[in-house]
Amino acid sequence: MSATSMSPPTPETPRSESPLVPQGAMEAVAPKAPSRPRRFNPLDAIEVPTEWVIRICGWSSIIGIAAIFLFIFKEAAPMVPRLDWWHFFTSPRWIPNPAAGNDPSFGALALLAGTFTTTFLALVLAVPIGLGAAVYISEFAQGKVKETLKIVIELLAAIPSIVWGFIGLMVLGPLVKGLFTAAPETLWGKLMLTLHLASSETGAAQGTNMLTGGIILALMSVPLIVSLSEDALRAVPDSYREAAFALGANPWETVRRVLFPAARNGLLAASMLGMGRAIGETMAVLLATGHSNRIPMALTDPVRTMTATIAAEMGETVNGSDHYRVLFILGIVLFVITCGINIASDLIIKGVKKQGKA
């Protein structure tokens, strides 16, 4: 075999379309299409202002909170160095307009006690009812029953505060008084006195009291707790439910051991927001709690809250007087309490998230 037949074939070089002009040069020589002038769009002129409006909307909540706090502190500032703070937090004597010759007394202990006891009672009633209703609507109700319950809950949330106050005063108050009324020296009277259901053996002195106010606040907080809790439960992936059913869990075990741990952040947030709704309510507690400045010793004692005090007395004060300034100090205390509740709930939720990740 000859040497020429054993030599490998040389690879063919790619041929350009034109052997005389390189391909890159042809592209450079090729004429470009003339660019069209950009048409004027009026929306482009408002793009930058719109961006700033969106930024302002994003910061509006912080700006609003700061403006509210500055306004309240501005009105209360002249009284801050002159107020006896120890007396303010430890004395139940709230006498802003005493008789001639007596000094006024600004003791808010009874107001704080009325606010916290009524709110606590409302939470004790509202959280179990709200979570139970949310579980039923999310996991068990079907079809028209589910839709009807959602509509009814939304209607409850739309009822004005003053209407709830009228219900507490005219409907619930007489029922509570009738239930907690007893003849002297009867077993029911002694039992109420022993269990602190009433301050005397005769029962509730009036129908508007801490129990009535707590029930009304619970009814007002339930729609918010139900809506947020249902959203938290529906946000749990269906794969969690399917896995629990595949392992043999019944629906209640799935709710208790799977859904509640998975949705605990949302459920806790719903409960805390319900607490904020109850502690900041004004007109309903003004009508339903009896508006009596006293530290409650029994469940049916009339109480007085800070919000109701501000609402009832602000219109009767002289602008710039000590009474006027102290009412704004009550607003600062209420503002600090609500902010503390929100911060505490946020820290609790973050702690729960870290435990879940661990």
Side-chain angles (χ1 to χ4, degrees):
M1 189 175 292
S2 61
T4 58
S5 60
M6 294 292 296
S7 61
T10 57
E12 296 182 359
T13 58
R15 295 180 299 175
S16 60
E17 296 180 359
S18 176
L20 299 179
V21 182
Q23 185 175 1
M26 292 182 62
E27 294 177 356
V29 174
K32 295 182 179 180
S35 59
R36 294 182 178 180
R38 186 178 179 182
R39 299 179 60 183
F40 175 74
N41 190 353
L43 296 178
D44 295 339
I46 63 173
E47 181 177 357
V48 175
T50 303
E51 182 180 352
W52 277 103
V53 169
I54 294 174
R55 289 183 180 181
I56 294 174
C57 292
W59 285 87
S60 60
S61 58
I62 299 177
I63 296 173
I65 292 175
I68 291 172
F69 181 78
L70 289 176
F71 167 72
I72 297 176
F73 186 79
K74 172 180 172 295
E75 297 295 330
M79 193 64 185
V80 171
R82 298 190 292 111
L83 182 65
D84 187 354
W85 290 95
W86 176 257
H87 178 80
F88 180 79
F89 286 109
T90 58
S91 174
R93 297 184 70 250
W94 178 265
I95 309 175
N97 298 312
N102 296 328
D103 295 331
S105 176
F106 299 108
L109 180 60
L111 305 181
L112 291 169
T115 300
F116 284 118
T117 53
T118 308
T119 302
F120 176 76
L121 181 60
L123 285 180
V124 169
L125 297 175
V127 171
I129 296 174
L131 293 182
V135 169
Y136 178 74
I137 294 174
S138 175
E139 304 299 323
F140 297 96
Q142 300 292 334
K144 293 184 178 180
V145 175
K146 185 174 184 177
E147 297 300 326
T148 302
L149 289 176
K150 285 185 176 181
I151 294 173
V152 170
I153 290 173
E154 292 176 357
L155 290 176
L156 286 176
I159 296 177
S161 173
I162 190 66
V163 176
W164 282 115
F166 279 135
I167 293 174
L169 178 65
M170 305 302 297
V171 179
L172 188 59
L175 293 177
V176 170
K177 185 177 180 180
L179 179 63
F180 290 91
T181 299
E185 298 180 356
T186 60
L187 178 61
W188 177 230
K190 294 179 179 180
L191 186 62
M192 285 192 296
L193 190 62
T194 303
L195 298 178
H196 294 279
L197 299 178
S199 298
S200 65
E201 293 182 357
T202 57
Q206 60 189 61
T208 52
N209 47 52
M210 183 176 67
L211 178 60
T212 304
I215 294 174
I216 291 298
L217 288 180
L219 292 175
M220 296 179 67
S221 302
V222 161
L224 179 63
I225 296 175
V226 172
S227 299
L228 296 178
S229 300
E230 184 198 357
D231 293 339
L233 292 172
R234 285 194 292 107
V236 178
D238 291 336
S239 58
Y240 286 33
R241 300 174 177 84
E242 295 170 358
F245 292 149
L247 293 174
N250 58 40
W252 288 112
E253 291 176 340
T254 302
V255 170
R256 183 169 58 90
R257 297 186 177 183
V258 178
L259 297 183
F260 274 3
R264 54 189 171 185
N265 297 333
L267 299 179
L268 180 59
S271 301
M272 298 303 291
L273 288 175
M275 182 178 179
R277 174 82 163 93
I279 202 171
E281 184 51 48
T282 303
M283 296 308 300
V285 294
L286 179 62
L287 296 177
T289 58
H291 202 60
S292 176
N293 186 38
R294 58 188 294 183
I295 297 178
M297 297 298 177
L299 189 64
T300 55
D301 284 349
V303 294
R304 190 174 184 180
T305 64
M306 291 187 292
T307 53
T309 301
I310 296 172
E313 298 182 3
M314 181 58 73
E316 301 175 357
T317 60
V318 178
N319 192 351
S321 63
D322 290 347
H323 186 195
Y324 175 85
R325 305 293 183 188
V326 172
L327 290 179
F328 277 95
I329 289 178
L330 281 179
I332 291 177
V333 173
L334 188 63
F335 186 83
V336 171
I337 291 173
T338 54
C339 288
I341 292 173
N342 292 332
I343 293 173
S345 64
D346 186 59
L347 293 177
I348 292 172
I349 291 173
K350 287 182 179 179
V352 171
K353 287 183 178 179
K354 289 181 179 179
Q355 292 178 1
K357 291 180 180 179

